[in-house]
Amino acid sequence: MGLSPFRQEGPTGKPSATSLSKPTRRRSSLKNRSVLFGLMAALFLLVVGCSKDGMSTWEAFGPVAQKQLDLFNVLLWTMVAVFVIVEGVLLYAIVRYRRRPGDEKPPQIHGNTSLEVVLTIIPTILVLGLGIWSVFTLFEIDEAPTTGPDALHVNVTGHQWWFEFEYPDAGNGKHIITANELRIPVDRPITITLESDDVIHSFWVPKLAGKLDMVPTHINTMWFQADSDKIDDDLPITLDGQCAELCGLAHALMRFRVTVMEQAQFDSWAADYGPPPTNTDRAKKGQQVFTTNGGCTLCHTIDGPDDPLASKSRLDPFLDGENPGPVPAPNLTDLRTRQTLAAGILDLSETSLRDWIHNPENVKPGNYMSERAALYQNGTANLNDEEIDALVGYLLDLR
Ligand code: CUA
């Protein structure tokens, strides 16, 4: 009797009228409320997760993201179907075959060969099918198309904590190095090489392609394209991207933007790429602050692509941990044409640029500018208001 899986019910085992008194009812209403709360929380997460803004992967603007989204949908809905069927059968069995008063002990069985074969074959087919679909998709999106318009190539380098974009040839042989804002022409494949100067970062623009790691001493490649027929808004449009690999203190503030533009707009940006004009008094004064008083040129280039030797002279002491010393820093040549500041965290304006120069630590804790540059003492720039104003003017005038 002690080994029986069935609870023996004596006359005292049955619920009496008094056991359905208040505490039980209170417990069940508490349970109902918990279930309701749980459902509402799940619904909230579902609705929030389905938003197509910002970093959502539910909206694809190009062929790579679209194929990845299609694969995700196949995997997701197949798994949802399996879950619903399995849980449905389980619930049906629990309810339909529950023990009722007076039931006899059911017949005891062991094994059912045909059932076991069926329950092995179905999951095997499912897993193999989804696996094959995944592998084929990986091969399909691996290489940029060789027919159609020429690909535009960009080298992307990850730094703590910003992105460097280099166009070896942005058109007519123009060599461009910029930071944190990638401009791409619409309807044209963009081929990308990814690497890092310090630690592992990850490059991710959800609406264009899945994430890929940026690894020191190793080059990864990817490609994507923005299709005009998938974008409803007028060009140019700006897409959000961010570093997707924990890379140190300011990882969460390591963002970037991708601006999709018409080829003509892209060409005009590329043609205008060059040092800021100095045809106002403020800009002339600012140029002097930038090159002399501030010592900004030790780390920042402002008159075109960085010289590889200069980049090396910044990187070596940085990797050695020399303090203070130059560090790899964003190229500022086209700053006046950008929308954001400090790796995509602030909208670029005179005010935000002034705040950033004055005290970068307030904006982006952990940044190397306020830690390494001799200009900064106790986190604050050793410049008077007039000098900061001139510097802002130099960087932004005539934009
Ligand atoms: Cu770079 Cu996270």
Side-chain angles (χ1 to χ4, degrees):
M1 176 182 139
L3 291 174
S4 165
F6 300 103
R7 189 158 54 89
Q8 301 296 306
E9 233 167 60
T12 51
K14 294 207 167 155
S16 69
T18 51
S19 68
L20 276 175
S21 58
K22 271 184 183 166
T24 318
R25 248 182 280 146
R26 208 177 299 147
R27 221 176 297 140
S28 87
S29 93
L30 191 68
K31 208 200 269 171
N32 286 344
R33 246 180 283 164
S34 311
V35 169
L36 191 67
F37 178 77
L39 284 175
M40 283 174 69
L43 191 68
F44 173 76
L45 287 177
L46 194 72
V47 171
V48 169
C50 287
S51 155
K52 284 187 173 176
D53 289 337
M55 299 289 294
S56 170
T57 51
W58 290 96
E59 190 172 47
F61 280 172
V64 175
Q66 187 61 57
K67 289 213 168 82
Q68 290 168 335
L69 180 58
D70 293 345
L71 174 65
F72 176 74
N73 274 322
V74 169
L75 296 175
L76 176 72
W77 293 112
T78 307
M79 287 181 240
V80 166
V82 169
F83 178 82
V84 168
I85 292 170
V86 170
E87 295 304 305
V89 170
L90 180 69
L91 286 176
Y92 175 78
I94 289 172
V95 174
R96 173 75 178 77
Y97 299 107
R98 70 186 184 280
R99 186 169 64 91
R100 294 183 172 82
D103 274 357
E104 294 292 312
K105 186 174 175 182
Q108 303 295 296
I109 58 163
H110 174 75
N112 182 325
T113 310
S114 39
L115 190 65
E116 282 164 23
V117 168
V118 169
L119 290 185
T120 306
I121 287 177
I122 293 178
T124 307
I125 291 174
L126 276 179
V127 170
L128 273 180
L130 295 179
I132 289 169
W133 196 317
S134 305
V135 170
F136 270 85
T137 303
L138 283 180
F139 279 110
E140 259 180 76
I141 59 176
D142 190 42
E143 297 279 345
T146 45
T147 53
D150 278 353
L152 174 70
H153 186 73
V154 187
N155 298 320
V156 185
T157 307
H159 299 270
Q160 280 177 321
W161 289 271
W162 55 281
F163 290 88
E164 180 173 287
F165 301 116
E166 176 187 26
Y167 303 74
D169 181 0
N172 299 320
K174 182 117 183 191
H175 182 204
I176 289 180
I177 295 183
T178 182
N180 301 322
E181 287 184 24
L182 177 66
R183 287 166 179 79
I184 59 168
V186 74
D187 294 327
R188 212 175 139 186
I190 312 296
T191 54
I192 303 262
T193 58
L194 297 173
E195 56 188 316
S196 167
D197 257 1
D198 37 52
V199 300
I200 300 178
H201 304 272
S202 181
F203 180 84
W204 192 30
V205 196
K207 287 182 205 268
L208 293 178
K211 56 188 85 158
L212 188 62
D213 276 2
M214 317 174 76
V215 184
T217 72
H218 174 83
I219 290 178
N220 275 332
T221 58
M222 67 187 291
W223 77 280
F224 51 69
Q225 178 173 318
D227 284 340
S228 49
D229 57 6
K230 285 203 167 67
I231 300 172
D232 293 333
D233 301 316
D234 290 337
L235 296 180
I237 61 154
T238 301
L239 309 178
D240 293 332
Q242 74 177 49
C243 176
E245 177 79 37
L246 182 61
C247 55
L249 194 59
H251 154 72
L253 301 175
M254 184 172 167
R255 302 182 204 160
F256 64 101
R257 298 284 193 279
V258 178
T259 303
V260 183
M261 35 184 35
E262 301 288 356
Q263 181 69 51
Q265 294 170 318
F266 178 82
D267 290 341
S268 119
W269 166 74
D272 285 349
Y273 177 86
T278 50
N279 45 5
T280 63
D281 285 346
R282 186 166 85 144
K284 276 193 198 99
K285 174 102 200 310
Q287 185 188 32
Q288 195 208 331
V289 175
F290 190 87
T291 51
T292 317
N293 313 31
C296 311
T297 44
L298 279 175
C299 301
H300 293 284
T301 303
I302 195 152
D303 55 359
D306 303 73
D307 167 20
L309 281 176
S311 298
K312 190 171 165 11
S313 75
R314 293 163 186 161
L315 182 61
D316 289 348
F318 173 68
L319 293 180
D320 283 348
E322 273 176 40
N323 191 5
V327 291
N331 186 307
L332 300 180
T333 304
D334 63 336
L335 185 76
R336 63 196 184 281
T337 68
R338 293 186 206 160
Q339 302 169 22
T340 62
L341 182 65
I345 8 177
L346 293 179
D347 288 337
L348 179 60
S349 68
E350 291 217 1
T351 314
S352 65
L353 184 56
R354 192 172 284 116
D355 291 347
W356 167 250
I357 293 172
H358 178 67
N359 190 336
E361 195 66 13
N362 274 349
V363 177
K364 192 175 187 180
N367 77 89
Y368 282 104
M369 183 159 80
S370 50
E371 188 194 314
R372 296 294 184 90
L375 175 66
Y376 287 94
Q377 274 136 31
N378 302 320
T380 313
N382 190 20
L383 295 172
N384 60 36
D385 285 351
E386 196 195 342
E387 286 170 318
I388 290 187
D389 197 47
L391 202 51
V392 169
Y394 172 55
L395 294 169
L396 295 185
D397 268 3
L398 297 180
R399 69 210 210 93

